[in-house]
Amino acid sequence: MAYTIAFFGTKPYDESSFNDKNKEFGFEIRYYKGHLNKNNVLLTQGVDAVCIFVNDVADAEVIRIMAENGVKLLALRCAGFNNVDLNAAATAGITVVRVPAYSPYAVAEYTVALMLSLNRKIPRASWRTKDGNFSLHGLMGFDMHGKTAGIIGTGKIAKILIHILKGFGMNVLAYDLYPDYNFAREEQIVYTSLDELYHSSDIISLHCPLTEETKYLINDYSISKMKDGVMIINTGRGQLIHTNALIEGLKNKKIGSAGLDVYEEESEYFYEDQSDRIIDDDVLARLLSFNNVIVTSHQAFFTREAMENIAITTLQNIKDFINHKPLLNEVKR
């Protein structure tokens, strides 16, 4: 009998990617469109493993019910795991694995795309020309060459981003709890304090994990330390930024622009077509009203190569678990 996996929060592109790679593994996969939560966790009955994405909920109650249903493995097809109660999983005897890196190039390149789009007002220019308006008023940007980028977190994605930004001729300040000084010497960047990074950066880009220490890292106090007109980019996790503080900074012109591929309450909206609904999240609606803000739907990872890597790594994680092999991508409390 084939090993059975229940996939939650799936889209057609997930099914296409996983069905293609599953030809090499032979698992029985059941796809469900809805996000895993306490209301649909009963669908985990009769399956061996559960696979989830960033907006699924695997809290203590959901994990308890999954364990009662006989689930032994929770496979995340993403890098982040802040939506999983790891203590509950350990207590219930459910192993948790993830995909630590699917395509750092995809996210790094998308981060640069947000920077350029905001700086050179490309969305506004495109809207204007479609309406027959070819004026340049209000579209002035700045040379990125010679400016300073502050990068918070210097993992794989950030290192690729830094390499790209150095190609623009930018100065780079970095902050990380565990600095990689060899990398810093190679790329000629400077590790510094958060205060100095805030004070000196023209562009700040967030690439750190979401933890208790980094939650709302960008807040009223940290924004007050930044340069006037700073650009803030977040392709990491939504709760790295206190959104109301960001909005206040945009209103008083302290923040010149913001590029957000994530949002702290995104699970109600992202990855779904909401075009026939009124957005009743007042904070998100306010963000979308700024012409110097770009909000996209958590798509920085979304390249052909990344989807292939996600599928292969997820299915290999599951195969290694079945065969009692060392789990290189296990997440422990």
Side-chain angles (χ1 to χ4, degrees):
M1 186 175 180
Y3 195 84
T4 306
I5 312 162
F7 276 61
F8 288 86
T10 59
K11 301 296 180 187
Y13 46 79
D14 293 306
E15 294 189 29
S16 174
S17 179
F18 275 92
N19 285 342
D20 180 57
K21 298 304 175 185
N22 191 43
K23 295 173 184 175
E24 306 168 23
F25 293 86
F27 297 131
E28 179 185 332
I29 298 178
R30 302 175 185 177
Y31 294 107
Y32 300 108
K33 295 180 180 179
H35 297 307
L36 177 66
N37 56 60
K38 64 181 180 181
N39 297 318
N40 62 8
V41 67
L42 59 87
L43 295 173
T44 65
Q45 291 179 350
V47 303
D48 301 293
V50 169
C51 183
I52 64 174
F53 197 48
V54 294
N55 290 328
D56 294 289
V57 176
D59 58 17
E61 182 180 2
V62 168
I63 286 172
R64 176 184 60 79
I65 298 172
M66 285 198 298
E68 291 174 355
N69 289 342
V71 174
K72 298 297 183 184
L73 179 67
L74 180 61
L76 284 76
R77 55 185 190 276
C78 54
F81 48 87
N82 52 286
N83 55 334
V84 178
D85 189 323
L86 295 177
N87 288 323
T91 300
I94 293 179
T95 300
V96 181
V97 291
R98 65 173 181 143
V99 182
Y102 16 98
S103 175
Y105 297 98
V107 181
E109 291 167 6
Y110 193 84
T111 301
V112 176
L114 286 175
M115 292 178 184
L116 291 171
S117 296
L118 285 167
N119 177 25
R120 303 310 299 271
K121 319 290 193 298
I122 293 173
R124 294 176 65 189
S126 178
W127 298 332
R128 284 186 184 185
T129 54
K130 289 178 186 298
D131 198 37
N133 180 354
F134 297 90
S135 72
L136 298 183
H137 179 71
L139 300 182
M140 185 179 289
F142 57 84
D143 288 358
M144 291 176 66
H145 179 89
K147 299 300 188 298
T148 298
I151 310 300
I152 301 178
T154 54
K156 291 181 179 179
I157 292 169
K159 286 176 178 175
I160 293 168
L161 171 64
I162 288 167
H163 186 71
I164 296 171
L165 296 181
K166 292 294 291 184
F168 278 95
M170 297 191 75
N171 305 309
V172 175
L173 297 176
Y175 173 82
D176 198 298
L177 287 175
Y178 306 99
D180 185 341
Y181 291 113
N182 289 330
F183 172 78
R185 282 191 293 271
E186 291 170 5
E187 290 290 344
Q188 296 183 317
I189 68 168
V190 177
Y191 277 104
T192 187
S193 66
L194 276 176
D195 280 356
E196 177 59 28
L197 186 148
Y198 293 145
H199 176 74
S200 301
S201 299
D202 300 289
I203 301 173
I204 294 174
S205 192
L206 306 178
H207 300 278
C208 52
L210 178 62
T211 65
E212 286 302 315
E213 290 72 29
T214 62
K215 184 176 180 180
Y216 297 147
L217 181 71
I218 304 302
N219 53 50
D220 288 326
Y221 184 61
S222 57
I223 290 171
S224 71
K225 300 178 182 181
M226 297 177 189
K227 276 188 176 183
D228 291 345
V230 66
M231 178 191 295
I232 296 178
I233 305 290
N234 189 8
T235 54
R237 287 290 180 265
Q239 288 188 331
L240 295 174
I241 295 179
H242 192 292
T243 311
N244 283 321
L246 179 71
I247 289 172
E248 191 58 35
L250 288 161
K251 286 168 59 180
N252 64 30
K253 310 300 190 296
K254 182 70 174 179
I255 298 172
S257 58
L260 310 173
D261 188 49
V262 289
Y263 169 63
E264 57 179 308
E265 302 296 336
E266 68 180 55
S267 61
E268 294 297 316
Y269 294 92
F270 285 21
Y271 302 126
E272 305 297 336
D273 182 356
Q274 308 283 353
S275 59
D276 61 345
R277 289 179 49 194
I278 293 174
I279 294 178
D280 51 15
D281 182 326
D282 292 342
V283 177
L284 178 58
R286 186 72 177 97
L287 271 181
L288 293 172
S289 73
F290 288 99
N291 62 13
N292 56 345
V293 173
I294 295 176
V295 179
T296 55
S297 53
H298 208 146
Q299 68 185 68
F301 78 97
F302 196 47
T303 63
R304 185 182 303 108
E305 292 81 0
M307 291 302 293
E308 290 175 357
N309 290 338
I310 288 171
I312 291 171
T313 303
T314 300
L315 296 174
Q316 187 62 52
N317 284 341
I318 295 170
K319 183 177 180 180
D320 289 344
F321 176 79
I322 296 169
N323 294 333
H324 306 289
K325 290 186 177 181
L327 298 177
L328 301 178
N329 300 319
E330 184 176 3
V331 183
K332 298 182 179 180
R333 59 182 174 181

